[in-house]
Amino acid sequence: MRSMILDEPELEFGGAARHIDPRFGITNYGPADLGAADAPRAIRVGLIGPADQLDGLRHWLERCREPIAAKDERYPHLFPEFPGCDTDRGLHTTLVFSDRNTREISSRDLRAIEAASQSAALTKAVSIYAEEIRILADENRVDVLLVARPEQLIDTVSRSSRGLKKASDSSAQDALEEPPSARFANFHDLLKARLLHLRQPIQIIRRSTWDEATRPPEGHSRQDEASRAWNLHVALYYKAGGVPWRLLRNPADLTTCYVGVAFYRSDEGGSLSTSVAQVFNERGDGVIVRGGPARISRTDRQPHLARADAHALLVHALDSYRREHHTAPARIVLHKTSAFTDDEGGGFQDAADARFIDGLEMSWITSSEGVAAFRPGDAPPLRGTLIALDDRELALYATGSIEFYRTYPGMYIPRPIGIRPVSAVRNPREMATEVLALTKMNWNQTRLDGRLPVTLRTANQVKSVLRFCPPDQAVATRYAHYM
């Protein structure tokens, strides 16, 4: 057994400048696509929601054009100021919204939602909002749709529990386990599932995000105002087609296609799972690919693909990659939420061989490992702590104490994720460093300490939406439509 501390991976920003933290990189250098012809210099935002919310939301978005002060001088790196959103600072873009690109949810519709039972209220709210969103989207004058959800709606409608197991973080149950929120139908997932055919991505926002006088719903916490502004504006920039930051890539490195394979059950709770792949390149451009059915193994009670289905899924993913990026990758890094069977490994290798791709690395990424590290004193292990049990079993702390922040920013004891490669293609340090870098490719939050690599952290978001889509429904391929 060996242990080591990995350096915090740097990211690339405007002018090919580097920094380890997304917020400081954007503040100092601008987004990664700064100066590019297709970088969004203005983001046309469509607004949908109750009239009283829209006025306050627009006022807050106007306020965010100027800097918002940092929360706490004791931790300036953990809680930096928001530099403002305008063409000469931060993301170097501006949000554009107007009465013409605004759709109000009428007070009559809001009363109907409030008067309905919980399950009926959720269905009614989704239908009412979807119709207003379609009208605005069809006019094709906006890039992103910002949706202010109804305050009176409570996401507590229980889903069918047939076939679901009790949620757990056990690595032996990663593939089928679902977070508690996935057991409930909610406004976010149902609305996005209904509108996956639209060209424009949707960003849903709660009133408590912009209104300091509104308390967050029970079970939700509220970040400081600067952090909320950071997270919202980076998400809007990415959804509008921008590249906030990207992975570093040495010109000598092989062009890499990152693929995450996960499984989900439909909302009907059927006995079969369906495979889904998230396909990314170094820029973070994401493409969603649905695969065929998976079968539950009697050996480990996890879903697995037949050899032909594994082959078909990766071929489909590579075809999507070529359509998106107009080239084939030289290397594939494939992460999966369950152990690889011989059939799966063989099927994926067959697909790589069929596309004449020599470099294929396959790893099972677990949500927790049965090992822990300790430091002298009370501080948790440093993020980047790597424990190599052997060449085929690594434990990586992707969360933990962070020297740049001068503290541990979490609320719970951090646990390592597991990296279990099918074969030891590279040394453990190189493999874990790449996984650690992929944890930073998260445009829903702007801190540097994501826990899962982007290949798999998107799995729950994508699964939560796709479970409400019939198998024959055409769905969006861009990850921006699911986040």
Side-chain angles (χ1 to χ4, degrees):
M1 184 175 71
R2 307 185 307 277
S3 64
M4 62 196 80
I5 307 295
L6 305 178
D7 293 333
E8 186 63 54
E10 292 182 312
L11 299 169
E12 182 181 325
F13 299 91
R18 303 177 177 189
H19 203 284
I20 64 171
D21 187 280
R23 296 166 298 183
F24 284 86
I26 289 173
T27 298
N28 295 335
Y29 311 113
D33 59 350
L34 181 65
D38 56 353
R41 295 281 290 172
I43 301 173
R44 300 171 301 167
V45 179
L47 299 175
I48 304 96
D52 65 328
Q53 287 205 52
L54 294 179
D55 289 341
L57 177 56
R58 288 177 63 161
H59 178 76
W60 187 70
L61 293 175
E62 291 283 2
R63 165 174 161 72
C64 290
R65 297 188 192 278
E66 300 297 324
I68 296 177
K71 167 190 175 182
D72 192 336
E73 295 181 355
R74 294 175 301 169
Y75 300 107
H77 286 175
L78 179 57
F79 302 110
E81 76 165 8
F82 178 66
C85 182
D86 215 331
T87 54
D88 62 348
R89 69 191 71 169
L91 290 162
H92 290 260
T93 190
T94 184
L95 303 186
V96 179
F97 36 85
S98 65
D99 290 341
R100 187 182 183 192
N101 293 332
T102 299
R103 301 289 300 187
E104 294 183 0
I105 304 299
S106 70
S107 57
R108 180 184 62 187
D109 285 336
L110 292 171
R111 288 194 300 271
I113 293 171
E114 191 169 10
S117 64
Q118 285 186 348
S119 58
L122 184 57
T123 301
K124 186 177 292 291
V126 169
S127 296
I128 290 170
Y129 270 75
E131 181 60 26
E132 297 296 336
I133 291 169
R134 283 196 192 97
I135 293 171
L136 187 53
D138 286 347
E139 294 173 352
N140 204 29
R141 293 193 306 265
V142 299
D143 303 304
V144 184
L145 297 152
L146 185 55
V147 178
R149 54 165 290 148
E151 288 182 87
Q152 59 270 50
L153 192 64
I154 301 175
D155 289 339
T156 56
V157 182
S158 178
R159 296 176 52 244
S160 168
S161 60
R162 287 178 294 167
L164 289 178
K165 298 180 181 180
K166 183 179 178 181
S168 167
D169 284 320
S170 169
S171 61
Q173 297 178 327
D174 279 345
L176 281 184
E177 298 301 357
E178 306 182 43
S181 60
R183 299 181 180 185
F184 300 93
N186 63 68
F187 182 74
H188 175 280
D189 297 344
L190 287 174
L191 184 64
K192 294 210 169 190
R194 181 79 68 91
L195 298 173
L196 281 178
H197 64 282
L198 296 183
R199 179 186 66 83
Q200 304 92 335
I202 296 169
Q203 177 71 34
I204 299 174
I205 188 169
R206 292 182 182 271
R207 182 166 190 153
S208 55
T209 300
W210 54 264
D211 184 1
E212 296 290 339
T214 300
R215 296 182 62 181
E218 185 178 354
H220 292 73
S221 60
R222 175 160 50 195
Q223 296 175 307
D224 61 288
E225 186 179 21
S227 294
R228 281 177 270 142
W230 266 116
N231 293 339
L232 176 66
H233 285 79
V234 165
L236 292 176
Y237 189 79
Y238 175 73
K239 291 183 178 186
V243 184
W245 57 83
R246 60 167 64 100
L247 295 175
L248 286 183
R249 181 171 178 265
N250 189 302
D253 291 343
L254 298 176
T255 303
T256 302
C257 172
Y258 296 98
V259 181
V261 177
F263 304 93
Y264 69 95
R265 286 185 172 132
S266 67
D267 189 46
E268 286 74 23
S271 59
L272 293 180
S273 302
T274 301
S275 57
V276 59
Q278 293 87 25
V279 186
F280 292 88
N281 68 353
E282 293 92 339
R283 289 166 55 94
D285 296 329
V287 181
I288 306 302
V289 175
R290 283 200 291 189
R295 295 165 179 81
I296 304 299
S297 167
R298 293 182 178 180
T299 303
D300 62 5
R301 302 302 302 163
Q302 295 300 295
H304 293 289
L305 295 168
R307 185 170 186 136
D309 291 329
H311 174 273
L313 179 61
L314 187 52
V315 165
H316 190 184
L318 292 171
D319 288 344
S320 297
Y321 183 96
R322 177 179 282 277
R323 285 194 299 271
E324 182 76 10
H325 306 298
H326 308 292
T327 186
R331 170 175 171 259
I332 302 168
V333 173
L334 193 152
H335 295 158
K336 198 160 76 75
T337 56
S338 61
F340 287 79
T341 63
D342 290 341
D343 278 349
E344 287 173 324
F348 291 134
Q349 187 64 64
D350 291 344
D353 292 342
R355 292 294 187 268
F356 303 101
I357 299 173
D358 294 329
L360 172 62
E361 299 178 21
M362 296 178 282
S363 295
W364 171 23
I365 307 294
T366 74
S367 66
S368 62
E369 284 291 296
V371 64
F374 298 91
R375 296 172 63 197
D378 297 329
L382 289 167
R383 168 177 155 90
T385 298
L386 174 64
I387 304 169
L389 303 173
D390 56 46
D391 289 342
R392 297 287 192 90
E393 189 171 359
L394 313 175
L396 173 65
Y397 277 87
T399 55
S401 300
I402 299 174
E403 290 185 343
F404 183 68
Y405 292 161
R406 299 182 183 276
T407 187
Y408 168 55
M411 298 179 63
Y412 307 100
I413 297 174
R415 291 174 297 172
I417 60 173
I419 306 172
R420 301 186 184 184
V422 171
S423 60
V425 178
R426 291 182 294 162
N427 67 60
R429 177 184 286 273
E430 291 177 341
M431 191 179 308
T433 295
E434 185 170 52
V435 170
L436 196 64
L438 289 170
T439 67
K440 305 175 82 157
M441 302 299 286
N442 176 9
W443 300 276
N444 264 335
Q445 68 98 14
T446 51
R447 279 189 358 196
L448 62 80
D449 59 336
R451 185 167 190 270
L452 289 176
V454 65
T455 46
L456 297 182
R457 81 157 301 278
T458 61
N460 281 335
Q461 288 176 298
V462 174
K463 292 189 298 184
S464 293
V465 174
L466 286 184
R467 72 177 69 252
F468 295 108
C469 300
D472 58 348
Q473 177 182 333
V475 299
T477 59
R478 281 190 67 209
Y479 168 55
H481 289 266
Y482 299 83
M483 61 180 277

